[in-house]
């Protein structure tokens, strides 16, 4: 069961922005991680949050009030939040990322498959925007160095058009963040680049925080087309 757009951005999202698409649970830690993560991403965010509480219950009302309180944090002014009700045995990371992407309102999105406890480098969003030419037409990998499909680090974020023809395959069994995302990366890469190697690296941030290790050290934007 889905409750889309429980929170909407305070201001309209510019069409040429890049929306960060991510998912998390409704745990106490997730709320604090979200606030910290958003402080390093100044652009729009489309977030899917999963919960096992029943609609109409006291716990559900408490959760809704807690979600509304997120508006008191300036870093979350561009957040759109979508609540997915799950049972304890439901778990589909690809489904949650697909939903976050579907509800994004910008032309381009960044799929962030890792947990929000993995922070971005400072000024990541502004550095990224300054080096991306719109419209984004193909998937762009964010990794630590030039790579091939055989050596992409786990949970590497990807930038792609919101309406790109391929979506991550959803599975109900043996699902995990890493395995689901590895499958999705394979699909994206083979769709666009075959088994070749991306040969263009673009530095996007020379100031790296020790806590910003999402794919090794995030320093380069890799793509199969000229993007800067």
């Amino acid at each position: 069961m889905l409750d889309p757009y429980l929170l909407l951005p305070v201001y309209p999202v510019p069409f040429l922005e890049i929306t960060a698409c991510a998912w998390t649970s409704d745990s106490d830690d997730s709320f604090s991680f979200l606030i910290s993560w958003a402080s390093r991403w100044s652009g729009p965010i489309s977030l899917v949050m999963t919960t096992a509480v029943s609609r109409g219950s006291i716990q559900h009302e408490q959760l809704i009030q807690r979600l509304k309180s997120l508006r008191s944090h300036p870093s979350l002014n561009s957040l759109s939040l979508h609540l997915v009700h799950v049972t304890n045995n439901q778990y589909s990371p690809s489904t949650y990322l697909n939903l976050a992407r579907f509800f994004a309102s910008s032309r381009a999105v960044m799929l962030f498959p890792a947990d929000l406890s993995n922070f971005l480098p400072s000024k990541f969003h502004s550095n990224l925007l300054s080096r991306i030419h719109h419209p984004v037409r193909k998937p762009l990998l964010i990794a630590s160095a030039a790579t091939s499909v055989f050596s992409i680090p786990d949970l590497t974020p990807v930038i792609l058009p919101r309406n790109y023809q391929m979506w991550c395959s959803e599975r109900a069994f043996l699902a995990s963040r890493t395995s689901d995302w590895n499958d999705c990366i394979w699909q994206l890469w083979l769709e666009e680049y075959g088994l070749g190697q991306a040969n263009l690296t673009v530095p996007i941030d020379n100031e790296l925080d020790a806590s910003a290790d999402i794919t090794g050290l995030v320093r380069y934007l890799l793509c199969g087309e000229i993007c800067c």
Side-chain angles (χ1 to χ4, degrees):
M1 192 174 297
L2 174 66
D3 291 326
Y5 299 112
L6 281 181
L7 293 179
L8 287 169
V10 174
Y11 307 105
V13 174
F15 196 53
L16 294 182
E17 255 287 5
I18 297 175
T19 298
C21 299
W23 73 273
T24 189
S25 69
D26 62 348
S27 68
D28 290 340
D29 286 343
S30 294
F31 280 82
S32 58
F33 289 148
L34 170 60
I35 294 167
S36 298
W37 195 92
S39 68
R40 290 173 171 265
W41 176 267
S42 54
I45 301 171
S46 177
L47 181 72
V48 165
M49 178 174 285
T50 63
T51 181
V53 303
S54 300
R55 294 181 76 175
S57 66
I58 294 176
Q59 292 85 352
H60 182 255
E61 291 302 317
Q62 291 172 338
L63 176 59
I64 296 300
Q65 292 305 312
R66 190 173 188 186
L67 292 175
K68 290 180 178 179
S69 71
L70 292 174
R71 277 287 172 254
S72 63
H73 299 275
S75 64
L76 297 176
N77 282 343
S78 296
L79 171 69
S80 62
L81 189 141
H82 323 286
L83 193 64
V84 175
H85 295 265
V86 299
T87 60
N88 290 330
N89 60 352
Q90 283 182 310
Y91 187 72
S92 181
S94 289
T95 300
Y96 309 145
L97 270 184
N98 283 342
L99 284 172
R101 172 183 161 190
F102 179 80
F103 289 122
S105 54
S106 59
R107 179 178 290 181
V109 297
M110 180 184 76
L111 303 185
F112 188 82
D115 187 89
L116 295 183
S117 60
N118 296 273
F119 299 143
L120 296 169
S122 60
K123 301 180 181 179
F124 181 85
H125 174 257
S126 58
N127 286 337
L128 195 62
L129 282 183
S130 69
R131 287 162 171 80
I132 294 291
H133 279 181
H134 287 279
V136 175
R137 293 187 175 90
K138 295 183 178 182
L140 313 175
L141 293 175
I142 300 173
S144 57
T147 188
S148 74
V149 70
F150 302 107
S151 59
I152 299 173
D154 287 341
L155 301 175
T156 297
V158 167
I159 295 172
L160 75 168
R162 178 192 168 277
N163 62 352
Y164 187 70
Q165 69 268 20
M166 204 205 81
W167 296 73
C168 295
S169 296
E170 301 172 4
R171 56 184 180 181
F173 301 100
L174 302 177
S176 73
R177 283 186 186 267
T178 300
S179 61
D180 278 28
W181 189 243
N182 285 343
D183 288 349
C184 191
I185 287 290
W186 262 100
Q187 295 170 37
L188 288 170
W189 191 288
L190 294 177
E191 177 77 18
E192 288 294 342
Y193 310 121
L195 295 177
Q197 177 171 317
N199 57 11
L200 180 65
T201 60
V202 181
I204 60 172
D205 195 356
N206 292 322
E207 178 187 354
L208 295 175
D209 187 278
S211 65
D213 186 10
I214 57 175
T215 59
L217 294 178
V218 179
R219 185 174 290 173
Y220 297 100
L221 177 68
L222 307 183
C223 58
E225 61 179 350
I226 295 176
C227 57
C228 68

